[in-house]
Amino acid sequence: MLDTTAFDLRRYLQGGGHSYGVWLALIALIVFGVLRYENFGGAYNISSFLNYNAMFIVISVGMCFVILTGGIDLSVGSVAAFTSVVAAYLSPMGLQVALPGAVLAGLAFGALNAFFVVAMNIPPFIATLATMLGAKGGALVISGAQTISIDWTSNFTKLGMEQVWGILPWTIVITVLVVAALWIVLERSSLGRVVLAIGGGEDASAMMGLNVTRAKAFVYILSGGCAGLAGVFLASGFGAGQPLEGVGWELSAIASVVVGGTLLTGGMGSVTATVAGALLLGLVFNILNFENGRGTISLSAYWQMVIRGGFLFAVIILQSRLARAAQKELH
């Protein structure tokens, strides 16, 4: 049954005081970029930025649900690589087959994770590490360790290369729908309350009669499905299934979730703040690329990673300070 409590935008964006920092940092970077770079706020940059980062947003919101229960999913990057190959193989049959086919493949990996974690009681770190290796090896086996080109004559190319009414990429429209649906699940459904309760204390949740098994299975299956959708975005955006992609994506997803204020121990978090965290990660790279383009500095990809890590560390410190200040106000 849906919660009919009135929507409180201020409370939702605050996330209990834990997500102030990511919003401040995101707004500050956007303002900085618009003021410093001529085409930063242009339609092309915005469209390209959103189109590329859609797959990271989708993976991150799936990871958010897993972490809310106190779990972890290390397999999402490898699953995305595997499903990108699946989507490429299915692309001759069109988007109507390739999209659900690849998502179903992701859901299958998610169901496998759920079986290991819930039914066999294997720690999530070990279970999803095994699935990560299996998905990575499977992607290399079925592709022959080669990129698999999509069928350019089918409508599959529309997903990554066409826009809705010439404004927004299809990938970002689908991402918005996914994020909205998951927001409703977390904030307005009994299942979402159980997910949060598990993170607060799994044993206590079970003693209260909550269906812990169903909720835990749901979050891992959901995470697999989101990774599957990201794989579709990857194949359509790059024009090929990419079995060697996805390395480190799970770390980016975890970083997005944590920077968004979700506790690694579970029990507290926000879907929209996770989206903000994913956008923040992408925006750092976007700004560094613009800075390189100005010729004032020349940073290699390695140094960009160092700067990105330092920036994220600063955001996390800001998060913790704002959270403490909010807690002091409450007391």
Side-chain angles (χ1 to χ4, degrees), residues 154-177:
S154 75
N155 63 358
F156 183 73
T157 57
K158 292 183 178 180
L159 184 62
M161 302 184 183
E162 292 190 10
Q163 297 177 330
V164 181
W165 300 309
I167 302 174
L168 287 175
W170 275 104
T171 51
I172 208 65
V173 172
I174 294 173
T175 299
V176 169
L177 293 175

Side-chain angles (χ1 to χ4, degrees), residues 113-126:
N113 282 332
F115 174 74
F116 288 149
V117 173
V118 178
M120 299 189 67
N121 203 29
I122 297 175
F125 183 91
I126 302 300

Side-chain angles (χ1 to χ4, degrees), residues 54-63 66 73-87 99 101-110 113 131 135 178 182 219-235 246 249-250 253:
M55 51 192 177
F56 299 112
I57 294 172
V58 168
I59 279 185
S60 296
V61 293
M63 181 71 77
V66 174
D73 186 354
L74 300 179
S75 68
V76 291
S78 296
V79 171
F82 181 91
T83 56
S84 76
V85 175
V86 171
L99 175 59
V103 172
L104 283 173
L107 290 171
F109 278 105
N113 282 332
T131 311
V178 169
L182 294 183
V219 298
Y220 286 99
I221 294 172
L222 170 67
S223 182
C226 287
L229 181 59
V232 177
F233 290 170
L234 175 62
W249 284 19
E250 63 282 347

Side-chain angles (χ1 to χ4, degrees), residues 91-105:
S91 63
M93 290 179 275
L95 181 61
Q96 62 275 17
V97 174
L99 175 59
V103 172
L104 283 173

Side-chain angles (χ1 to χ4, degrees), residues 65-71 117-118 124 186 190-220 263-268:
F65 274 76
V66 174
I67 291 178
L68 281 172
T69 65
V117 173
V118 178
L186 183 62
S190 58
L191 177 59
R193 289 190 288 272
V194 175
V195 168
L196 292 169
I198 292 172
E202 184 174 337
D203 293 337
S205 300
M207 290 176 64
M208 288 189 297
L210 300 178
N211 196 332
V212 172
T213 299
R214 182 188 70 167
K216 287 185 69 175
F218 167 77
V219 298
Y220 286 99
L263 301 180
L264 275 174
T265 52
M268 179 180 291

